[in-house]
Amino acid sequence: MRMNDPLQPHTHEPNPLPPSPETTFEIQLPHQQPKHISIEMLSQLPQTEVADCYIVSTGHGTSGPFRFGGVTLLDFVKSILSNDKAWQQLEVISGDDFGTRITKKELLEPDSAGPILLAITLDGHPLTREQGAVRLIVPNETDDALRQVKWIGEVRVR
Ligand SMILES: Nc1nc2c(c(=O)[nH]1)N[C@H]1C(S)=C(S)[C@@H](COP(=O)(O)O)O[C@H]1N2
Ligand SMILES: [Mo]
């Protein structure tokens, strides 16, 4: 069992080091075997860029603005799930047990700051593993970066 629930709010010192070199992550669908998703597969889906993104760390200050690129989480879910009634929320969890929960409403009604992304590029260059590949970017979250999940390991569909 995990010592900490990665989905509960918590104060957090950001982990500077990737938990592994492996960028491929798993998607877990109800009643199905997990599927493996690579950067290569993400790069073949429609690409979206979101400019003016900031990573606001309570301990280390703000960095940015960044232009993150990749696949919107909505486009990704649509590419995986044909039946859009089959889910209500997603859990995005990193290899170092850091995570956040995303509701369907957040994806269907994106904030004016921009859509939630599975980011694979930063300012037009491939995101390095150290920079978080594959990283969740939630453009409207500018409090403490607790939703800007680096090193996605699992996406669970609920
Ligand atoms: N996987 C993972 N993602 C994470 C964290 C972490 O520890 N592990 N820390 C978060 C916090 S608290 C901050 S402030 C930012 C730091 O992002 P940066 O390393 O790009 O500055 O990452 C966020 N995403
Ligand atoms: Mo943070």
Side-chain angles (χ1 to χ4, degrees), residues 9 22 24 40 46 51 77 87 99-100 110 126 157:
E22 180 56 64
T24 297
E40 170 77 27
V77 172
W87 66 282
T100 193
V157 178

Side-chain angles (χ1 to χ4, degrees), residues 107-123:
L107 298 193
L108 296 183
E109 297 166 26
D111 188 87
S112 60
I116 297 174
L117 280 186
L118 293 177
I120 57 175
T121 66
L122 197 179
D123 293 336

Side-chain angles (χ1 to χ4, degrees), residues 15-23 94-96 128-133 150-151:
N15 184 2
L17 290 176
S20 72
E22 180 56 64
T23 56
S94 70
D96 59 332
T128 65
R129 183 63 174 160
E130 286 67 25
Q131 290 169 331
K150 296 185 279 191
W151 314 307

